[in-house]
Amino acid sequence: MRRTKEDAEKTRLAILAAAERLFLQHGVSHTSLEQIARAGGVTRGAVYWHFENKAHLFNEMLGQIRLPPERLAQRLSGSAGANPLRELRDLCIEAMANLAGNPQKRNIMTILLRRCEFTEELRYAEERSTAYIDQFIDLCQALFERERERLRPGLSPRLAARTLHATLVGMLSDVLRDPDLFDPLTDAPVMIDTLFCGLIRDWSPAERPALIDSATASDQCGQPSAQP
């Protein structure tokens, strides 16, 4: 029995891996379950044994990774540190770094953002993604609300949260479209800090670990560097 379960799991993973490859190459709407079965070296019946339809298969593929908005939202929901904005900044940078270091996450995020048309059969996946995005924005808003007095004049916590989300989506879309545009490991921290400089009026180098060497004379806000 144990061997049967192991074999079944191997078949399931083979189907998911084949779907990832074909979705990435051809797009979700242009890939059939029969094509996935052939690419995975299994029968079409095996595909239907593990997955009800293409929507179910697609959702299970997404479930293999923790999408950046989901992971950030889960972490932020438990954020009770003395510096919530620093926590938020660090989580944004961590999300970009994890995407850069995990090929499967990059592939599936590329499928989700660039190879997927949310047709009727994929409505659940769209609703799931939208729900987590809204959750992320709401959690960010709550953090900015706690630091409202530090926001730039005329900037509400809600607008600050939406600005942060829009920037993250733009960064993800750009680096997935063209990996040579910027380095998620070295450039993303500077980009995120520049964003926080535009949101927080007293954002300073003391609020972040050293990202640049001591030859740099000022931070992104134009303030004198605190580094020796």
Side-chain angles (χ1 to χ4, degrees):
M1 179 65 70
R2 181 178 178 182
R3 182 62 180 174
T4 300
K5 289 183 178 180
E6 290 177 352
D7 290 342
E9 181 61 14
K10 288 181 180 179
T11 298
R12 177 179 176 276
L13 292 177
I15 295 169
L16 287 169
E20 180 184 325
R21 293 195 304 271
L22 294 182
F23 288 161
L24 186 64
Q25 182 177 359
H26 303 296
V28 178
S29 63
H30 296 290
T31 300
S32 67
L33 292 180
E34 184 174 351
Q35 290 172 319
I36 292 172
R38 289 200 301 267
V42 302
T43 66
R44 188 173 179 180
V47 174
Y48 280 107
W49 174 262
H50 290 279
F51 307 100
E52 297 175 8
N53 47 42
K54 186 163 67 173
H56 183 206
L57 173 56
F58 180 79
N59 289 328
E60 289 295 302
M61 182 193 69
L62 293 182
Q64 289 184 296
I65 68 168
R66 299 171 69 86
L67 301 181
E70 296 178 15
R71 184 177 57 78
L72 290 173
Q74 290 171 359
R75 287 277 298 275
L76 287 174
S77 65
S79 176
N83 194 333
L85 295 182
R86 170 64 181 273
E87 177 73 6
L88 177 59
R89 173 261 184 200
D90 290 348
L91 287 172
C92 293
I93 292 173
E94 183 182 325
M96 295 300 299
N98 287 342
L99 182 66
N102 189 316
Q104 184 185 44
K105 286 185 178 181
R106 175 181 286 273
N107 287 344
I108 295 179
M109 282 299 294
T110 299
I111 293 168
L112 180 63
L113 294 178
R114 302 186 56 81
R115 300 286 192 273
C116 177
E117 296 179 355
F118 282 115
T119 58
E120 182 64 26
E121 67 175 344
L122 296 178
R123 174 176 290 184
Y124 172 73
E126 182 178 22
E127 292 175 348
R128 180 170 178 261
S129 178
T130 299
Y132 276 109
I133 289 172
D134 289 343
Q135 181 187 11
F136 172 63
I137 293 174
D138 289 343
L139 289 168
C140 288
Q141 180 180 348
L143 292 185
F144 283 121
E145 184 67 46
R146 290 162 59 182
E147 303 287 335
R148 175 186 283 268
E149 71 280 359
R150 299 178 62 194
L151 292 176
R152 294 282 183 180
L155 187 63
S156 68
R158 186 66 174 176
L159 185 56
R162 289 190 176 278
T163 301
L164 175 62
H165 174 256
T167 301
L168 284 175
V169 171
M171 292 174 66
L172 284 168
S173 297
D174 271 358
V175 79
L176 292 173
R177 176 177 60 84
D178 184 353
D180 294 327
L181 285 178
F182 66 89
D183 187 334
L185 294 177
T186 60
D187 296 333
V190 179
M191 297 166 75
I192 295 295
D193 270 316
T194 301
L195 169 65
F196 273 84
C197 286
L199 299 176
I200 308 300
R201 55 184 174 79
D202 61 344
W203 192 257
S204 68
E207 295 194 65
R208 65 181 192 269
L211 298 173
I212 48 182
D213 59 36
S214 58
T216 302
S218 64
D219 69 356
Q220 285 76 20
C221 297
Q223 299 172 345
S225 174
Q227 298 178 12

